[in-house]
Amino acid sequence: MDMANPPKTATLSIDGESYDLPIMSPTDGPDVVDIRKLYAQAGVFTYDPGFTSTAACESAITFIDGDKGVLLHRGYPIDQLAAQSHYLEVCYLLLYGELPSPAELEDFENRVTMHTMIHEQMHNFFRGFRRDAHPMATMVGVIGAMSAFYHDSTDINDAWQREVASIRLIAKMPTIAAMAYKYSIGQPFVYPRNDLDYAANFLHMCFSVPAQDYKVDPILSRAMDRIFTLHADHEQNASTSTVRLASSSGANPFACIAAGIACLWGPAHGGANQACLEMLREIGTVDRIPEFIARAKDKNDPFRLMGFGHRVYKNHDPRATVMKESADEVLELLGVDNNPTLQVAKELEKQALADPYFAEKKLFPNVDFYSGIILEAMGFPTSMFTPIFALSRTVGWISQWKEQLSDPALKIGRPRQLYTGEVARDYVEVSKR
Ligand code: CMC
């Protein structure tokens, strides 16, 4: 035992009985009280709907200090990664724990590039959807269906198959998202081009048509790459926890990622980027901002300022800071820096931050506040915003999935409950009710 740092314990007292609970110390962040044996010893559960105070797993991938506005991937600050690295390098970092050597990076990029095409038979699967299907609906279905197409990478107990599934998902996600988009607008699917980098290839698959040449603007592909990087992982958020919970039962990786996509879709999570842009459009002009701020503060109105607030960040969201700079750059490049939506966004941010309601509740703009403005300026419809988030977050989901599977302490996720229903009673025949 380390005599200088004896193990810490917390003591819980229930009805005069004391229970010592071990305290686990992280490399950074708050200590964690280990309650795993609490039910066996004291016969009580803990209650924490929404997991506001519960660490559901051990992880060495991403760290957030919400009070200071810090986000680190494997120890590296997100602003440094966004400015100096690029998406596929960040993917490598998240998946394998260290920045790659030049040879490792080249090998990784080759492996991803060689898996960008999807099984040709999957094209028919797309065609089964209605044209007006939301691309997220198509993606939930198609990613889940990958388990029916790639049988040689569904065995989670085989390390090689886990690796192949990881590369396949990262490589094919842009192809699938672009196909969902093309299908929704009635244009032909565009095959990936392996001479383009990851972000440029995605823009090519979304915006080129067989009838004419399309050249990817390098500044736009850099902005696209930065959007991917800023969304790559975010600790134990709702969709990542969904992937972990699905995987804890031993489900195959494609099924788990489809579950993550479904969770991401909600407007409180990844769907906020679409909802935010729709809100900015609805506000329309800066003179209407006070009306919407008043609605957001009104407890009798369910309306919330989309793109504002975060469960963990009680200070600025470091991703939003980079995203705002990127929005300015892209809009200037495209000559739309007097875009009315951007004007409304900037003024809304200013007025909300000056309002005591938002200050007291520590509500700041989050990553979704500015991303939609850039994506719209690039030519994406709002329905594509959340699929772009999903394709960016895939690497985070996979890294966390792989980490969980290699954890010897892995158990099926099985929360308990505070039961508030009827106690046992006798069945009454229908004629007697
Ligand atoms: N507008 C107005 N009031 C808000 C907002 C908002 N956007 N967000 C939180 N509040 C208020 C909320 O009403 C509550 O007030 P009170 O204490 O008086 O009841 C207080 O702030 C705390 O809110 P909460 O709902 O208990 O906080 P939470 O941690 O459960 O929710 C959130 C976090 C992100 C779901 C929430 O802030 C929200 O709904 N924001 C808008 C949607 C959004 O932008 N989501 C994207 C999050 S970042 C990207 C991602 O995760 O995918």
Side-chain angles (χ1 to χ4, degrees), residues 59-63 71-76 78 81 85-100 108 170 228-235 391-403:
S59 181
I61 301 174
T62 290
F63 173 74
L71 167 60
L72 310 175
H73 291 322
R74 303 287 190 183
Y76 297 101
I78 189 66
L81 294 174
S85 181
H86 60 93
Y87 183 67
L88 280 187
E89 186 174 66
V90 172
C91 288
Y92 186 99
L93 175 69
L94 289 167
L95 280 169
Y96 306 113
E98 294 296 339
L99 287 169
F108 179 69
I170 295 167
F228 293 161
T229 301
L230 290 174
H231 289 92
D233 191 44
H234 211 230
E235 207 227 47
L391 91 80
S392 321
R393 182 56 57 83
T394 297
V395 68
W397 292 329
I398 292 169
S399 305
Q400 305 261 353
W401 166 78
K402 281 181 83 178
E403 180 180 66

Side-chain angles (χ1 to χ4, degrees), residues 50 52 231 234 237-239 263-264 266-273 275-276 279 292-293 295-299 301-314 317 319 357-358 360-369 386 389 393:
T52 52
H231 289 92
H234 211 230
N237 56 84
S239 56
C263 176
L264 185 79
H269 193 8
N273 52 14
C276 179
M279 174 194 77
F292 282 80
I293 290 193
R295 282 188 60 197
K297 288 162 36 177
D298 181 356
K299 286 284 154 234
D301 187 332
F303 173 77
R304 283 185 167 199
L305 274 195
M306 299 314 288
F308 257 80
H310 198 275
R311 167 63 62 76
V312 184
Y313 293 120
K314 300 302 169 198
D317 176 342
R319 304 168 300 171
Y357 172 95
F358 291 87
E360 274 158 26
K361 297 190 187 303
K362 300 186 175 163
L363 300 170
F364 293 86
N366 59 48
V367 69
D368 290 321
F369 192 68
T386 316
F389 192 157
R393 182 56 57 83

